Every structure is written in structure tokens, then in C-alpha cells.
Amino acid sequence: MSTMKTKRFVATTVFVAIVLLQSFVPFLGSLPLGAFIIGASVTIVPMTAVLAGLVLGPRSGLVVGLFWGMTSWIRNLMHPGTIGSLIFSNPVTALVPRLIVGLLSGYLAFLVMKKARSPWWGFFLLGAFGSFLNTALVIASTTVAFKLFPVSGMGIPHAHLFTWLVGILGFNAGFEMIANGLLVLLIGRVLVAKLPNLRPE
């Protein structure tokens, strides 16, 4: 294994470790805004997968997205009894959106840095888009799953399911897009400057 591949492997492992910490240690993976905006709790794990794709390329983004999805799936299987655990105990919903976010972020980051003269605004858009894409894919996959395998209880309606999911999952979406966009912008600038050669051509 070449020195550059070894460095990229180590960096990917660091991003995976960060996702694991964010997933299992309270407050590392979310910003509780309830004290300022009632009911809002902003998930910031998407920015880690986006940053991995940005700095290390789509393959590393995919790996980090995989671990993000796996930890989400396992955590919700271990703690049943909530709407969130019901949604993310489905492996398709837990895994597929996160895999796509990590992979697509890597490809989009390549375009941003190649085409944009000053790509910093693109970093914000990458973070915001990664957060939006995760939420949108979770809503879409959950709608399909609940239609194919109807569930009862917890106030889950049989009619207007998509609208209901948009209401409960989409409430935080705007806050999450802003938070993840700003974090990718601030952290991404530093990482790209410090680790300029880790991204594969």
C-alpha cells in the first residue's frame, strides 16, 4: 500500500470514529435547540459524511456513510418504542440514504473544487444538500416501507402518510441544512488547506 493510500485509509478511519462517537455519545451528533427554538433538535452527523467525501473522495464518503447508517440501524434496534426507532429499524431507510449522501458528496465536491474559482460557497451548499438529501431519502423510503408493511400505533396515519412524515421529519430540515452547511464550510476550508493531497484525482 502506498504512503498516500495509507494516509487516506487512516483519515477515513478517523472520520468513521467520529461518526461512531456522534452516534453513541449524547450531544456530539446533534445540536439541541429546544432552549432557543422549541422542539428543534438538529442532527449534524451528515456533515461528517459530507466532509469525508469532500476531503477524501466518494469512496471514503461511502464508507463513512455506511458506518453512519449501520450505527443508526443498530442503535434503533436496541431502543425500540419510538417513531424514530420504528423508522430506522428498517435497514433500507437506515443505510441507503447515508450511503448515497457520502458517495454523492464526494462526486459533487470534485465538481465544486474543479469548476468554482472560489469554492467556499460550494462547501456550504454541499453540507446543506447532504442534510436535505438525507431527510428527503428517509421520508421517501419510509413512505414506501409503511405502505408495503402497514404499521399501527404511535399515531401513524394510514392516509396522507407522506404529508405526515414531511411534517414530523421535515420540521428540523431547514435548521439542519443551515447547521450542516455552516459546519462543512468552516471545517471543510481548514481540512482542504491542511490535507490538500489526500483526495484522489
Side-chain angles (χ1 to χ4, degrees), residues 61-145:
L62 182 69
V63 170
V64 174
L66 172 63
F67 277 89
W68 173 19
M70 288 177 61
T71 53
S72 177
W73 179 48
I74 293 170
R75 188 178 70 249
N76 284 284
L77 284 176
M78 294 170 59
H79 298 89
T82 66
I83 294 176
S85 64
L86 184 61
I87 291 173
F88 291 107
S89 60
N90 179 353
V92 175
T93 301
L95 290 168
V96 173
R98 284 70 191 271
L99 289 169
I100 293 175
V101 168
L103 181 67
L104 192 57
S105 295
Y107 286 114
L108 291 177
F110 175 80
L111 295 176
V112 167
M113 290 191 288
K114 182 178 181 180
K115 301 294 184 181
R117 181 174 301 177
S118 181
W120 310 128
W121 60 269
F123 287 9
F124 174 84
L125 293 179
L126 279 173
F129 178 71
S131 177
F132 168 79
L133 184 61
N134 176 62
T135 300
L137 291 174
V138 166
I139 291 173
S141 61
T142 301
T143 300
V144 173

